[in-house]
Amino acid sequence: MNSAEWHARIESGGRVTGAGFLVSPGTVLTCAHVVGDGEDLTVTFTERPGTPPVPARVVAHGDWTGGATDLGDLAVLALDEEVPVAPAALAPVDAAHGPAPRKLVVYGFPAGFDEGTLTEQRVTAPQLIKREWLQLEAWHPGGQPLAPGFSGAAVALADTGEVVGMVTAAAAGRDVRTGRMMPTQVMARYWPGLQSLVPTSDHTTADRARLRALVEKAARAGVDCDPVRLYTAAADPFDPPPPEEGFDSLWSAALFVLCELDGPGAARTVARFADRVEALLHVPAVEPAAPDWSPILVELGHSGAGDGLIRVEVSAYSGGRRHPVDSGTVEQHRLHAYVRDRIEAAFRYLTPGADELVAFALPRDWLDWPVDRWESDPDDATPLGCLYPLVVTDHARRKASTRHVLTRAWKRLDALPGARMHRVECYGPEEPGRLRMRLRRPDACLAGFGTAPAASRTRPHFDTSLTAPAPVIVWSRGGCGSGQEECDGADGCTGKAFLDALDACVAAVPPAELPRHILALREEADAEEDHWARGIQLLWDDPRVFTDPHAVAPAHAESPVA
């Protein structure tokens, strides 16, 4: 077990009477016979040396009547104050036994071991005795046997530390190394408050263990986050909404994910929630340098030759040089195929093994084009945005003065561990002038929109973000488009849901890594129906990725990201 801080020693009147275990910051479970009449109870967490005993009182019990074989030997203790200890993880029902015996570990306080000691056990068989107990037997004949002082102790899986039950009795005979355990599903029968803490078997053990380890690490590190937003970003469309009162901690959100979700999507939500907690913990060990991209630039523009014709220029950049690939005027119905072939040709100019980046430079009224969804090959329907990091940018940002301001901004952003997002809500957005001031702040990085650029209510704010200039802009092509005047940002608003998920997802991603991160999101969205990131558009503009237009051929000055 990686952490044993939730193990507890129970004392009554200053005398050690048994063990218990923490199931919430203020609740400990133990046996009813351990607490006796419930007078002068204290709980000590021995794995936190120096921590004083915490007074406790019995708030629920299993109607145990005092006999050694009487049913309901369970007591629920409420601590006088919550403790900063990660609660025990409960395993799914029936996790204690399988095709092969599973080693179980019990941490108790028999005579002479006030600091605690361990015993290794296993379940003899999955059969319940009197619908109440599973029989335990020693894992090794010569090991520490169950004895007085182990009563009330959690029985945990040795490999994951998850709790499968509680010790209630040990055999009376000296040569008999057996005992009894009340499994968690029986404990929940006596105390319904435990039912919501027992996870379903839909989650894999590895995912559960990973999530708990990450949340414990985040809690120790004092990571500041919004648990509701984090859950919303990870949840499947059919997962339940967060409680109306929200989550009071990251732990409560994690327990909700582990214990309240079921069905085929639950395992995916557990994994995604763990991914987002891991992202919150990611702080680069050293200040990141500008990424070593080898970009392919696709410039599209209006043609003066007639309607339905589009001007195309494709270039590749490697070794500090621009390599023109092809240019021409193309009918719109041939555009996809023409661009696809030129991108393939551009790869011949890239440095072998370098990180490719596909950038589309578009007129402002085309910035919402779903270029990331264009097919990558006649024989492969995989979208371009699911094969390569793909970004768009605005032709109008090609001016030397704009490039100078953006370069200075990116030098500041290199030191940021995550992409700080400024939300532009689809309802009641702030004045464009105030938005410009916010986007000019030193730590400003990303402007997030829950609407497409053409949305009437936020179009001025989108234009302001482009001209500020914001180094990064992200929006949803399928965001809130239902009556911009009527939208109030309620829970049903797709734009709000997009921004909530985006904020949680990119908060720990360095700005320079966003193209790679969005690629991963697009792959995930392509594999899952109704994924929040389907239709995500990334305008990402780092001038250092492209050769200085004043140091190369004049054609390079045409690049809006040069």
Side-chain angles (χ1 to χ4, degrees):
M1 290 176 287
N2 294 327
S3 173
E5 291 189 348
W6 44 263
H7 291 291
R9 185 178 69 206
I10 311 298
E11 300 175 23
S12 179
R15 182 176 62 88
V16 177
T17 55
F21 57 102
L22 190 76
V23 293
S24 77
T27 307
V28 167
L29 300 185
T30 186
C31 290
H33 78 262
V34 167
V35 298
D37 58 11
E39 296 295 327
D40 195 19
L41 293 175
T42 59
V43 175
T44 302
F45 296 93
T46 58
E47 291 303 298
R48 294 176 62 88
T51 302
V54 182
R57 66 188 188 282
V58 178
V59 293
H61 54 79
D63 295 324
W64 180 68
T65 55
T69 59
D70 288 342
L71 305 181
D73 192 4
L74 172 73
V76 182
L77 307 185
L79 304 179
D80 277 8
E81 58 184 43
E82 294 188 353
V83 292
V85 174
L90 303 189
V93 174
D94 299 332
H97 41 76
R102 300 195 67 176
K103 182 187 288 188
L104 308 174
V105 177
V106 184
Y107 188 100
F109 304 91
F113 292 95
D114 285 355
E115 76 284 3
T117 191
L118 297 169
T119 176
E120 295 177 329
Q121 301 285 314
R122 63 183 172 189
V123 170
T124 303
Q127 178 180 340
L128 281 175
I129 299 171
K130 293 184 69 174
R131 300 183 64 247
E132 183 87 356
W133 307 290
L134 290 173
Q135 180 170 298
L136 296 173
E137 60 184 36
W139 184 264
H140 293 296
Q144 167 70 48
L146 290 173
F150 281 102
S151 292
V155 181
L157 298 170
D159 53 352
T160 69
E162 294 173 303
V163 174
V164 295
M166 178 182 71
V167 174
T168 57
R174 289 186 58 184
D175 298 326
V176 182
R177 293 175 172 266
T178 62
R180 286 179 176 176
M181 170 185 86
M182 183 185 293
T184 53
Q185 69 267 30
V186 176
M187 297 168 70
R189 184 197 309 159
Y190 291 113
W191 183 51
L194 197 65
Q195 293 174 356
S196 64
L197 300 178
V198 180
T200 70
S201 56
D202 291 323
H203 315 322
T204 66
T205 297
D207 282 340
R208 291 197 315 275
R210 174 173 170 252
L211 175 55
R212 292 190 63 91
L214 288 169
V215 172
E216 183 170 349
K217 185 177 180 181
R220 288 182 181 277
V223 170
D224 184 20
C225 68
D226 182 343
V228 172
R229 184 174 295 178
L230 203 65
Y231 170 73
T232 303
D236 256 13
F238 296 106
D239 286 338
E244 291 185 5
E245 66 276 13
F247 302 116
D248 58 8
S249 66
L250 183 58
W251 266 116
S252 62
L255 291 173
F256 186 87
V257 169
L258 289 170
C259 305
E260 294 293 330
L261 307 186
D262 54 20
R268 293 194 298 269
T269 302
V270 170
R272 282 195 297 267
F273 194 89
D275 289 343
R276 282 156 176 77
V277 175
E278 189 170 33
L280 290 173
L281 288 165
H282 174 67
V283 178
V286 296
E287 186 173 297
D292 186 21
W293 296 111
S294 281
I296 297 171
L297 179 64
V298 181
E299 299 184 75
L300 305 182
H302 298 281
S303 172
D307 295 338
L309 296 176
I310 296 175
R311 178 175 53 81
V312 183
E313 183 175 357
V314 179
S315 307
Y317 292 80
S318 65
R321 296 181 56 197
R322 170 183 176 267
H323 304 276
V325 176
D326 200 358
S327 63
T329 300
V330 184
E331 295 174 326
Q332 188 161 354
H333 70 274
R334 295 180 49 241
L335 179 63
H336 295 193
Y338 183 90
V339 169
R340 181 179 61 216
D341 293 344
R342 272 59 184 180
I343 289 176
E344 181 64 30
F347 271 92
R348 296 198 299 266
Y349 296 96
L350 301 189
T351 303
D355 291 329
E356 71 280 357
L357 173 72
V358 178
F360 278 80
L362 306 170
R364 188 164 299 182
D365 55 337
W366 293 357
L367 283 175
D368 206 36
W369 276 16
V371 291
D372 60 290
R373 300 298 302 172
W374 291 3
E375 292 184 358
S376 57
D377 189 89
D379 301 319
D380 184 1
T382 304
L384 281 172
C386 292
L387 281 182
Y388 316 116
L390 186 149
V391 303
V392 300
T393 189
D394 179 18
H395 271 308
R397 294 176 25 143
R398 72 180 65 185
K399 295 186 300 182
S401 58
T402 304
R403 312 314 296 161
H404 180 81
V405 173
L406 279 170
T407 300
R408 186 172 64 238
W410 274 100
K411 287 181 178 179
R412 293 195 302 265
L413 297 182
D414 283 343
L416 296 182
R420 183 178 180 274
M421 186 178 83
H422 183 77
R423 299 166 65 105
V424 182
E425 307 285 0
C426 52
Y427 60 96
E430 61 190 324
E431 289 298 319
R434 187 172 295 276
L435 173 62
R436 178 184 298 278
M437 293 173 58
R438 292 184 184 277
L439 293 177
R440 297 297 286 266
R441 290 178 178 176
D443 61 343
C445 170
L446 189 157
F449 287 77
T451 63
S456 59
R457 192 166 187 177
T458 54
R459 180 56 191 259
H461 304 78
F462 187 81
D463 291 341
T464 296
S465 300
L466 287 170
T467 59
V472 183
I473 307 175
V474 183
W475 67 92
S476 171
R477 294 193 300 265
C480 179
S482 57
Q484 294 299 311
E485 298 301 325
E486 291 78 18
C487 180
D488 59 1
D491 290 340
C493 173
T494 56
K496 178 180 182 299
F498 174 84
L499 290 177
D500 288 346
L502 178 67
D503 196 7
C505 195
V506 304
V509 180
E513 295 294 328
L514 281 171
R516 290 190 185 96
H517 196 70
I518 298 299
L519 165 64
L521 278 177
R522 284 172 173 152
E523 290 179 302
E524 188 177 306
D526 192 58
E528 296 183 27
E529 190 175 353
D530 297 327
H531 191 282
W532 69 268
R534 185 174 290 272
I536 194 171
Q537 195 83 324
L538 171 64
L539 188 147
W540 183 92
D541 211 350
D542 184 352
R544 302 168 301 173
V545 171
F546 298 86
T547 309
D548 183 352
H550 302 294
V552 295
H556 188 76
E558 296 296 320
S559 167
V561 288

